[in-house]
Structures are given as structure tokens and as C-alpha cells.
Amino acid sequence: MHSPSGVELAGLASLLVAVLAVALLGESGRRHTGAPRRAHLLLALGGAVVTAAALAGSVSALMLPHTAGQPHRQMLGQAVAVGMALGTVILLSGTLVLPGAAESPGAALRHLLDGLVIAAAGCFVGWVLLSPPTRILGDHTPYGCLALILPASMAVVASGLTVVLGMHAYRPRTVTVWVAAGVTVVAVAATGLSGGICRASSVVSLLAALALSVGLLVVARAVKVADRPVLVTGDVTQRGTAYAFVPMLGMVGSAAWHYGNGGKVAAYGLAAASVEGFALVARQYLALVDVKRYTLQLRQREAHFRELAHTDPLTGLANRRGLLRALREQEAGGRPRVLIGIDLDGFKNVNDMRGHDVGDDVLAQVGVRLRANLLPGDVAARLGGDEFAVLMTATPEEAMLAAKRLLAVLGEPYEVGDASVFLSASVGVAGRPGPGDTGALMRDTDLALRYAKQRGKNRVERYQKRYDELLRRHSVLETELRHAIARDELRLVFQPVVALPSMRIVGAEALLRWYHPELGAVRPDEFIPVAEESGLINRLGAWVLQQSCRQLSRWLAAGHDVWVSVNLSPKELHAADYAAQVADALEEHGVPAQRLVLEVTEHAVATDMDELIARLGELRATGVRIALDDFGAGYSSLGQLRNLPVDILKIDHALVAEPESRTGMAAPLVDVVVRLGHRLGLEVLAEGIGTPAQRAVVEEAGCRLGQGSLFGWGVPAEHLEVQLRTLRSGAARPAPAPRAAASPGGPARSQVIMLGPGIRQVRALLPTDPAFAAPPGDQDVGSVDSAHEIGQA
């Protein structure tokens, strides 16, 4: 053992700083968790191994006598080199597992191979520079110290890894690059310390010890913030590989220089070139694996997105694209196809009243029920909103059975929260025996579904060829009806309304007729629904109102004491400006408002009652009278009838034609309606009177107004005017038919009474009233049902 010099003692002292850096790394690992903790502990372990090897080597070098030969120092240097190289490997492992260095072990391996490519090229270039005939260091070339090879190789690997992490680590890269740079400094210090011991150079050993401490301090300082968030991007297309060309160019250039100077390939050069080649091959293999995996991911994502594009996100069923794809696939197979179209009845009310969340829940349950009732190979789809479809391979009879089963399943209550939602469905079925037009199959199904809804909903309709004819007819009617007014194809006919029992004409109902030059006479029950569906009903109604007021004005100017009634569509009634439209028509033609009667069907009562009352009140404020048409065949109740602002009840023809009941009375409901109307102060008109017997029943019930084929069909205005002129010319009135004596249980009669100056009211005469037995006569029917007789001021 020799006395240590000051330089050697300074080197030992500097290694104590390295011990402090290792302690800091250990403390950092203790404070962190997860991936940062593992990385910090590896760095602490690697630092401890490097520091321990450095301390052991330095102390052992001090204990060697001056007389110790080169072989002893070389063995000690090799031992220190192995220990410090092992520590450097652990430090590199800790660097690669730092958060942000690599997203996976495979990525860490790729970084290591990239670093190895650079390191092998660096080793080859270094061998060229240190080998004869180059020998740029000359006599200072450390050939005699083999201990330098291992730590020097690790230093080159660490340098290459630092370059790779500087290019490919995730942002922010500062921490990762600083740690890698610190490890590189440690690897260089390991090379210097091993060489210093081997060459007995205390100055080199001191510099290496200082570098070791600095490198570990850099690592300890950098890892304190190693757990900061990083931006992870795993796209392999963003990984550059241009750096691989630089090492190869360096190797090629140095090899050419070496051969140009007469050099030969030694074992070390061959080893470096072999490592470079194997590293490049391995890196290329991993790159191909990355590309393959990335391509597979792209295909899976593409398949996933394609499936999403064909799937309804709410129900998990196929969407319209998915259904079309399934139709094309089945068409290619040549199998018989049946398509079932489903539409939920009244689903809009669920969204409006319960909210869209409840509606979505119901739709999701519909999807579950459809899937639960499908056979293998069937495809259920949601086409949009509350429309669904089921595609199956079956015969038409099997499809009808399946459709009826689905109708029953979908009609069961839907439990949403604490409440139940009740819905029905309309179902249309269409099929194709073999390959055919997919669009035609869907059109056939839509037609069948359309007729299922038109015929009352909650039913199954199978497609029939005549549906195409009906659709074409509907389309033609809609197109031609748009031009009917301009082409002067519309006409009004007037069906007389008579006073009973005299049968004198006191009014007329305006009825719309359409005579087309090619289609001929189109029935009202055919073109009126078309007008309502297409939105043309308002234009037709305005035309009828104008023509009726014009004709009424002419009759009044001619001295005929009559009124005209016009049928009013519910869509016209709910138009915001209809009352103003009526007032303008009356003013334009100079018609007294009480001479115009607007007839509202009883079916309109099924709508919003408050709005209906408000609309009728607006019309009544103009002075016109309101008639409730088809009473007894609709939805009105007694309570609603008391609140409705109407003046006339028109008894539905079905009640007039009713046969004798078990009470022995013919048309007993006519008597009930007449009593009810008179009790409420309303005039009653019986329509559909076609026989004298029906007229007798109506008269016996006390009804004062009648309408029907017995008194005349709808005729042009000039024909009805001839009848009116005949009455004015003094033709004798028909004598009233004698009435039977009143009995206590007989029907009620009506009587006009004076309630005050200028105010009249119709009231009912019951059999118990004293005036009931008095002969009613003709009741001055010259203006029956006019404002004077109807009780309007």
C-alpha cells in the first residue's frame, strides 16, 4: 500500500457526492408511486451499483503498492469496468421505463435497438480511428487496457439512446433527455475511471469521479419532475427513421478511409459491423410488426366505424343503410324476401307529453322486443323516428303470422320509471319471391303500412297490387286538384232544407262537386281527403265560401228568404285568420251574417275542446250561425254540447234511418235528440230523410227542419232558384199533416217564445204543457231557420 496523493483523495471525496445523489434517487423513488416509482428505484439501484464499483475500485487502487505490475492494475480496471457497466445497464433500464420515454415495453425495445444502431456505428468509427494505420491517438492509444471496451461501449449506447429519446420521447421531453444525458455522463465516467485505474493515471481517475458525481446529480435533479403529464401519441406514422442513415454513412465513410489507407478488418471492426447489421435487421422486423399491427388496427377501426354507420345508436338495431345492405345481400343470394314495416301509433304524444328521454327509452324497449322475437337470419332496423322494419326470409303466410306476433308484442305496455306507456302499432307487409328491385320492395312495404294507418291503425296490412293503383289515383287527383279552380272545374250544388210539415224550402246546403274533363265526375269522398292531406283544403274552402256568399247574395237580392250552409273542415276551423276571412266574404257580397251557416262535423269535437270553443266563438262573433253536423255519430258528450257555441243540431242520417227499437218506436234516438236540442235552446235539423215514413217520424218528434233525398238532391243554383220562384209566385202551400192527439208519454214539440223586446227563444213543449195540444200549424215557415226563427238577435 502506498501513501495516497492529494489527487487521489480528491477523487475519493468527489465520490461521496455520488453517494448523496444515490440517496436523493432513493428518496424520490420512495415518494412516487406507480410507473415513476419503478423508474426511480431502478435509477437509484443503478446509481448505487456504479458508485459502489467506483468506490471499491478507487480504494483498491490506493491499496496497490507502487511495485504492483500492469497485470494487477488491468485486472482491477476490468473488475471496475464490469461493475460500472452493470450499473450503467440498470441506469439505462430505468431511463427507458420513465413516464414519457416509451408507451410500452415494445417501444422501449425499439428505442434500445435504435440506440444500439447508433452505438454500433460509433464503435466501428472508433475502431477505425484507433486501429492502424489510422491511430489518430498515436502512442496514447489504450491498446493495453482491455477494460475500456465494455464501459466505452455502454457510453456509446447511452449516447445513442439519448439521441433517440431526444427525437422520439413524448412531450415534454426535457426530463427524459436530461436523465439519458446524465446516464451517458455516468457511462463516460465509468470508462475514464476504468482507464485511469488501468493506466495508473490519478488525474484521469479524479476527472472520472467528478464526472460520475455530476452525472448522478443530473439524474437525481431531473427525476424530481419525471411524473409530470406527457402527451402520448402512439401513431407509428409519426416516428421518423432518417437518423438510421447517418450511422450507416459514418460506417461507410470510415471503412472507405480505413481501406484507402491500407487497413484491414480486425475482429473488433467485424464485431461492430455485425452488431450494426443485426440491430438494423431487428429494428426493421419490429418496424414491420408495428406497421402490421397498425394496419390491423386501422382495419378494425374501419370495420367498427362501418358498423356504426349501419347501426342505430339508440336501439342497437340496423339503420336504413344497414337494412339496405341486408336487402342487397339477400337479393344476391336469390332467396325470397319479406319486409315488415312498423310505425308506432301516437308516439309523438309520448315525446310531447312525457319528454324525449321517455320517448328514447320506449324506442330502446321496442328494439329489445324486436330482437327478442326474431329468428336467426332476420334483420331488424330502425329507419328513423318511430319507424322500424324487419327483413326476413319467409313465405307471405309466415310473414303475416310474424307481423301479427310483433303487433301483439309491441302493443304491450312499456314500463318507464314509475309509469306505463301504452302504444299500438301499424304494420305493413310486402314480399318478393326472388331477386328484384330493393327500392320496389321498400315502396310496397310503405304502401301497405300507409293503408294500415288509414284503415284505423293497430292492424296488419299486406301489400296488394291495387294499392299501386290507389296511389297513382291519389297522385293524379292531388296534381289535378291543384289546378281545378284555375281551370273552372269545380261546381257548387245546393241541397234544399225544408220546413216541416209544410216542406217549404227555407235554406240550402252548398255541396262541392268536381267535374274533370278526363277523370269525369270525382266523388267528394275521394277528393276531399286528398285535399286535406295535401293542404289544398283551405284553398277549396275559401273558394266554396266565396261562391256560396255570391249565390246567397243573388237569391236575397231576388227576394228569396233563404239561408245557405257551408261545410267547414277542421283544418279551416283551426286557421288563425278564418274568422276574418268569413267576415270579409260577407262584407264583399253584402250578405247578412245570420243568413250564413257554417257546419262543423261532430268529429271535430274530438280535438282540443278549449281551442274549438275559442274558434267557434270567433266565428259566432261575426254573426254567422254554427251547425253541429252528423250529431249522434261522433264523440260529443252532453257536457261538451252545453259548452259549444252552436245554434243548430243536424241529426245524423243513421239515426233517422234507425229501425224500430224494442220500445216499439221507430227511430227512438231522433226523439231524444230533438228533446235534447230544444231543452238546450237549439234548433234541430234532421238530415238523410229519404222516405215518407222517416219524415213522419221526424215530424212526430217535433223537428221543424228536414233535409234529404225526399225533398231533393243537390242541384245547381239555377234549378233551386226555379223552385224558389215557384214558391214566391203564389203556389199554394202544402197543408200541414194532421197530428195525432198528444199523449202524456208522447214526444216533445218546439215553440218560439218572446223573452223580451227583439229577443226570441226556442223552447221545448212537453206533453204535460197546456199548449202542447194546440195545433201547431205551419209556424209561419216563410223564414224558418232564419235569424228570426232560430232565436238569434
Side-chain angles (χ1 to χ4, degrees):
M1 178 177 180
H2 66 275
S3 298
S5 64
V7 175
E8 293 174 337
L9 291 176
L12 285 174
S14 63
L15 291 177
L16 297 178
V17 179
V19 175
L20 176 61
V22 172
L24 292 176
L25 286 172
E27 178 64 19
S28 178
R30 187 185 64 82
R31 287 188 294 103
H32 287 82
T33 58
R37 178 185 179 88
R38 182 173 62 252
H40 294 186
L41 290 179
L42 281 174
L43 291 173
L45 177 60
V49 173
V50 169
T51 303
L55 284 172
S58 299
V59 172
S60 299
L62 289 177
M63 297 178 64
L64 286 176
H66 287 289
T67 58
Q70 182 64 25
H72 293 86
R73 290 185 177 275
Q74 189 171 358
M75 290 180 58
L76 179 59
Q78 290 176 354
V80 173
V82 171
M84 297 190 73
L86 177 61
T88 304
V89 171
I90 299 175
L91 286 171
L92 290 175
S93 301
T95 304
L96 287 173
V97 299
L98 275 174
E103 74 273 14
S104 64
L109 179 59
R110 287 191 295 270
H111 291 337
L112 183 59
L113 287 174
D114 291 339
L116 192 58
V117 169
I118 298 175
C123 290
F124 185 84
V125 173
W127 168 78
V128 169
L129 296 177
L130 297 178
S131 299
T134 308
R135 296 191 64 185
I136 61 174
L137 295 181
D139 296 336
H140 297 284
T141 303
Y143 279 119
C145 193
L146 298 178
L148 292 175
I149 297 178
L150 187 58
S153 300
M154 298 307 303
V156 178
V157 172
S159 300
L161 186 60
T162 302
V163 174
V164 173
L165 292 178
M167 291 187 295
H168 296 296
Y170 299 130
R171 295 181 177 89
R173 300 169 177 167
T174 308
V175 172
T176 306
V177 174
W178 273 109
V179 171
V183 174
T184 302
V185 172
V186 171
V188 173
T191 304
L193 186 60
S194 302
I197 294 175
C198 181
R199 307 284 284 193
S201 175
S202 57
V203 175
V204 174
S205 298
L206 172 61
L207 294 176
L210 291 174
L212 177 64
S213 299
V214 171
L216 289 177
L217 284 175
V218 170
V219 173
R221 177 66 181 85
V223 297
K224 291 185 65 176
V225 291
D227 55 345
R228 290 180 181 176
V230 292
L231 179 61
V232 177
T233 55
D235 190 353
V236 298
T237 61
Q238 298 180 1
R239 298 172 186 158
T241 56
Y243 60 86
F245 292 96
V246 176
M248 289 301 298
L249 289 176
M251 289 185 65
V252 172
S254 59
W257 185 28
H258 184 68
Y259 280 109
N261 291 321
K264 297 181 180 180
V265 179
Y268 296 111
L270 183 60
S274 300
V275 171
E276 177 76 7
F278 282 116
L280 286 174
V281 171
R283 187 62 185 86
Q284 184 66 23
Y285 172 77
L286 291 180
L288 292 175
V289 171
D290 284 343
V291 172
K292 183 178 180 180
R293 182 172 63 253
Y294 187 70
T295 304
L296 180 61
Q297 291 176 355
L298 287 179
R299 290 179 179 176
Q300 291 175 346
R301 291 175 184 175
E302 182 182 0
H304 174 68
F305 290 132
R306 187 184 299 111
E307 191 63 27
L308 287 180
H310 292 83
T311 303
D312 176 61
L314 179 60
T315 61
L317 304 177
N319 58 13
R320 185 177 293 274
R321 293 191 188 91
L323 179 63
L324 291 175
R325 180 177 64 178
L327 282 168
R328 288 191 293 267
E329 290 175 354
Q330 287 199 6
E331 181 180 3
R335 294 172 292 177
R337 299 168 297 162
V338 176
L339 187 61
I340 300 176
I342 303 170
D343 189 271
L344 300 181
D345 302 327
F347 179 76
K348 185 177 183 299
N349 294 331
V350 177
N351 280 336
D352 294 342
M353 303 300 296
R354 307 286 293 276
H356 287 274
D357 291 340
V358 174
D360 290 346
D361 196 350
V362 171
L363 292 177
Q365 293 187 41
V366 171
V368 172
R369 296 184 185 184
L370 289 179
R371 279 194 298 268
N373 288 272
L374 294 182
L375 296 176
D378 296 348
V379 177
R382 180 190 175 206
L383 305 182
D386 58 345
E387 297 181 13
F388 294 83
V390 175
L391 176 64
M392 58 176 57
T393 302
T395 63
E397 291 73 18
E398 293 172 343
M400 288 296 293
L401 292 176
K404 293 177 181 178
R405 183 179 70 252
L406 292 177
L407 183 69
V409 168
L410 296 179
E412 297 177 358
Y414 299 86
E415 303 299 330
V416 181
D418 298 332
S420 298
V421 176
F422 296 90
L423 291 174
S424 62
S426 299
V427 181
V429 181
R432 292 277 172 170
D437 186 6
T438 297
L441 177 59
M442 297 190 69
R443 184 200 61 193
D444 295 348
T445 307
D446 289 340
L447 277 177
L449 179 59
R450 175 179 179 176
Y451 283 98
K453 297 186 75 69
Q454 287 183 353
R455 294 178 178 180
K457 303 180 180 181
N458 193 26
R459 58 183 293 143
V460 178
E461 281 291 333
R462 182 177 172 181
Y463 169 77
Q464 302 177 27
K465 289 185 178 180
R466 66 184 184 90
Y467 290 167
D468 285 325
E469 299 175 1
L470 294 175
L471 179 61
R472 284 193 293 269
R473 174 76 173 181
H474 184 282
S475 178
V476 170
L477 291 179
E478 180 180 344
T479 302
E480 296 300 319
L481 191 58
R482 294 183 182 276
H483 308 287
I485 296 178
R487 295 171 179 170
D488 196 24
E489 297 172 357
L490 299 179
R491 297 288 184 273
L492 287 182
V493 297
F494 297 89
Q495 185 175 27
V497 177
V498 302
L500 299 175
S502 68
M503 294 195 301
R504 181 181 180 184
I505 299 176
V506 294
E509 179 180 358
L511 302 174
L512 182 61
R513 297 292 184 264
W514 181 19
Y515 298 94
H516 190 273
E518 296 180 1
L519 301 176
V522 184
R523 300 190 313 274
D525 60 352
E526 186 178 13
F527 71 81
I528 292 297
V530 173
E532 291 181 343
E533 290 181 16
S534 60
L536 296 173
I537 192 64
N538 291 334
R539 289 173 53 188
L540 296 184
W543 185 87
V544 171
L545 178 64
Q546 289 287 337
Q547 297 298 320
S548 299
C549 289
R550 179 179 291 110
Q551 185 59 53
L552 179 57
S553 175
R554 293 172 181 171
W555 283 338
L556 293 178
H560 303 302
D561 189 9
V562 293
W563 46 266
V564 171
S565 65
V566 175
N567 291 283
L568 180 59
S569 168
K571 291 189 176 181
E572 295 180 89
L573 177 62
H574 293 294
D577 61 342
Y578 188 73
Q581 183 180 346
V582 172
D584 293 342
L586 294 173
E587 182 180 0
E588 178 182 352
H589 298 285
V591 175
Q594 67 272 16
R595 295 285 181 168
L596 179 64
V597 177
L598 298 178
E599 297 188 12
V600 181
T601 61
E602 193 183 7
H603 295 278
V605 180
T607 61
D608 187 353
M609 180 57 63
D610 293 336
E611 183 182 1
L612 179 63
I613 293 175
R615 297 298 184 189
L616 293 179
E618 292 175 1
L619 290 174
R620 212 177 183 204
T622 65
V624 301
R625 291 173 290 158
I626 307 298
L628 186 60
D629 198 8
D630 300 332
F631 183 79
Y635 304 91
S636 58
S637 64
L638 295 181
Q640 293 173 336
L641 192 59
R642 292 185 60 184
N643 297 326
L644 285 174
V646 297
D647 306 289
I648 304 173
L649 289 184
K650 294 190 69 173
I651 304 176
D652 187 74
H653 62 86
L655 301 185
V656 174
E658 184 184 14
E660 290 190 3
S661 66
R662 58 174 178 267
T663 63
M665 299 175 57
L669 291 182
V670 173
D671 180 70
V672 173
V673 174
V674 172
R675 284 171 173 265
L676 173 64
H678 289 171
R679 283 291 189 183
L680 295 176
L682 306 176
E683 189 56 86
V684 182
L685 188 157
E687 59 180 348
I689 300 176
T691 64
Q694 292 174 355
R695 170 194 166 193
V697 169
V698 170
E699 290 182 3
E700 186 65 23
C703 183
R704 301 190 308 142
L705 299 173
Q707 181 182 0
S709 60
L710 183 64
F711 314 118
W713 296 100
V715 295
E718 55 270 20
H719 293 183
L720 185 63
E721 190 171 357
V722 170
Q723 302 180 42
L724 293 175
R725 283 199 301 266
T726 302
L727 291 175
R728 284 189 49 122
S729 65
R733 286 182 192 169
R739 295 183 179 275
S743 61
R749 295 174 181 168
S750 60
Q751 182 183 46
V752 179
I753 61 174
M754 298 293 297
L755 299 180
I759 303 177
R760 302 185 180 192
Q761 179 65 58
V762 178
R763 75 177 182 87
L765 287 178
L766 300 178
T768 56
D769 293 335
F772 183 84
D778 196 22
Q779 297 186 30
D780 189 19
V781 295
S783 59
V784 172
D785 208 26
S786 68
H788 304 290
E789 290 294 320
I790 205 63
Q792 297 291 323

